[in-house]
Amino acid sequence: MAPKRFFDDSADPDSNQPNYKRIRKTPSFASVIKEVVMVNFLNNFCSALEPMLRRVVHEEVESGLRRCSRSIGRSPSLRIKSVEPSSLRLIFNKKLSLPIFTNSKIVDSDHGQCPLQLLLVDATGDCLVPTTLASPIKIEMVVVDGDFPSGESWTHEEFNNNIIKERAGKRPLLTGEVNITMRDGVASLGDLEFTDNSSWIRSRRFRIGAKVVHIGNGHNTVRIMEAITDSFMVKDHRGELYKKHYPPALGDDVWRLEKIGKDGTFHKKLTSQGVKTVQDFLKLANIDPHKIRRGNY
């Protein structure tokens, strides 16, 4: 008789029993309760820990920013430079007469009939309003690169970085009364001349700039924006031999008139008919203006 077989939990299960896996994977009631308790504990722990972590992170970030700001303040090379606000600026009262040649006096668009002036104005409103300072203002006239500026405003440092100096071995680029004094918001410019042409810089153009170098009675903290002219070319004085005269004199050669080039076709035709001076041209224009228009000399 075969021995009686007792049920043993440690014995290997028969893989042919279909309910075996389902029975072994079903968790017990105690394990479910334990898992729920653990989840609730973790949730409560994280909820309590979150405010403390936020406070620690916030304090560390603020501490780092304070250290960084102190480091930037001690290091001049790392300081952030802001645009210098200013409501005052210098302006030229008129445009310059062009073209400009070396070793020739610079005059305004009225051809020197009135002195070229600098004005101190208040530009805070929609229009320019003249203003005055009780103290005299020392101003220096300089040459500025024709490509400056790129906008309507600039800092004092940007202006200085675009000042053009003379070439090595040359005379000062701008000569004459380069240092003037402004009183009551007005300063008249004296004689100014260029000693060199503008062909040697990249832009091939200059500007004349005026900057404040000193304000009396301790007002040097006042920021007054510099004045600049329109850009222009400076040509060699030898080109002045072909310059037109404004206004032309009666005794000037006829080619001094606009649209009549020296030794050009019109000039040769006129001189062949005895029209050699501006006065000769005016006589012909009064006697037979149609002849001049037709070019039948």
Side-chain angles (χ1 to χ4, degrees):
M1 180 176 179
K4 186 176 181 179
R5 186 178 181 180
F6 296 94
F7 181 77
D8 186 0
D9 288 342
S10 63
D12 292 336
D14 188 352
S15 58
N16 293 326
Q17 295 180 0
N19 294 329
Y20 171 75
K21 291 183 178 181
R22 181 179 61 82
I23 295 174
R24 292 297 300 268
K25 284 187 175 182
T26 302
S28 65
F29 179 78
S31 64
V32 171
I33 296 300
K34 182 178 181 181
E35 184 176 352
V36 170
V37 171
M38 181 62 69
V39 169
N40 290 336
F41 172 79
L42 291 176
N43 288 338
N44 293 334
F45 178 78
C46 291
S47 298
L49 185 63
E50 182 180 2
M52 183 178 65
L53 290 177
R54 287 180 179 273
R55 185 172 62 256
V56 171
V57 171
H58 180 70
E59 291 174 352
E60 288 298 320
V61 169
E62 285 189 339
S63 176
L65 289 175
R66 286 195 296 269
R67 289 195 300 270
C68 182
S69 63
R70 287 195 297 268
S71 176
I72 292 177
R74 289 193 299 268
S75 177
S77 61
L78 295 178
R79 290 175 186 168
I80 300 175
K81 298 179 181 179
S82 60
V83 176
E84 305 165 72
S86 174
S87 62
L88 301 178
R89 68 185 306 159
L90 299 173
I91 64 168
F92 290 92
N93 68 329
K94 294 181 181 179
K95 295 183 180 295
L96 302 182
S97 177
L98 303 178
I100 294 177
F101 296 92
T102 57
N103 302 321
S104 295
K105 182 181 177 180
I106 298 170
V107 295
D108 59 33
S109 54
D110 290 335
H111 310 290
Q113 295 182 8
C114 296
L116 189 63
Q117 291 183 329
L118 277 171
L119 305 178
L120 179 63
V121 298
D122 185 349
T124 55
D126 295 333
C127 59
L128 299 178
V129 181
T131 184
T132 60
L133 287 179
S135 306
I137 302 174
K138 302 295 184 182
I139 297 174
E140 181 183 3
M141 309 303 298
V142 295
V143 181
V144 181
D145 193 327
D147 281 345
F148 179 82
S150 57
E152 295 183 357
S153 61
W154 54 85
T155 65
H156 182 68
E157 183 178 6
E158 289 171 338
F159 181 87
N160 286 336
N161 290 339
N162 283 274
I163 292 178
I164 302 296
K165 297 295 185 179
E166 66 274 6
R167 288 188 280 181
K170 297 282 187 177
R171 297 167 54 201
L173 188 54
L174 191 66
T175 60
E177 297 182 32
V178 295
N179 295 291
I180 60 176
T181 300
M182 171 176 282
R183 291 183 174 85
D184 298 326
V186 180
S188 295
L189 276 64
D191 292 347
L192 291 174
E193 296 180 359
F194 281 97
T195 62
D196 200 357
N197 62 66
S198 59
S199 62
W200 51 276
I201 66 171
R202 186 186 62 82
S203 67
R204 303 179 68 84
R205 303 178 76 86
F206 289 149
R207 295 179 188 265
I208 294 179
K211 69 172 187 174
V212 173
V213 294
H214 179 74
I215 305 177
N217 298 332
H219 291 93
N220 280 324
T221 56
V222 178
R223 167 78 169 115
I224 300 178
M225 188 172 292
E226 299 78 8
I228 55 173
T229 65
D230 293 336
S231 63
F232 52 83
M233 294 182 63
V234 177
K235 302 179 181 180
D236 193 271
H237 71 279
R238 289 170 292 185
E240 194 170 11
L241 297 174
Y242 300 92
K243 181 182 179 181
K244 306 297 181 181
H245 286 176
Y246 303 98
L250 293 176
D252 282 347
D253 291 332
V254 70
W255 60 264
R256 295 284 188 183
L257 296 172
E258 276 293 338
K259 303 187 183 301
I260 301 178
K262 186 177 181 181
D263 297 327
T265 302
F266 292 157
H267 184 208
K268 291 178 179 178
K269 283 186 177 182
L270 289 169
T271 54
S272 66
Q273 297 297 319
V275 182
K276 298 181 179 179
T277 65
V278 173
Q279 186 175 19
D280 296 334
F281 184 87
L282 292 175
K283 288 180 180 179
L284 181 60
N286 286 325
I287 296 172
D288 192 353
H290 297 290
K291 184 177 181 179
I292 294 179
R293 293 191 183 98
R294 293 192 305 267
N296 298 325
Y297 309 120

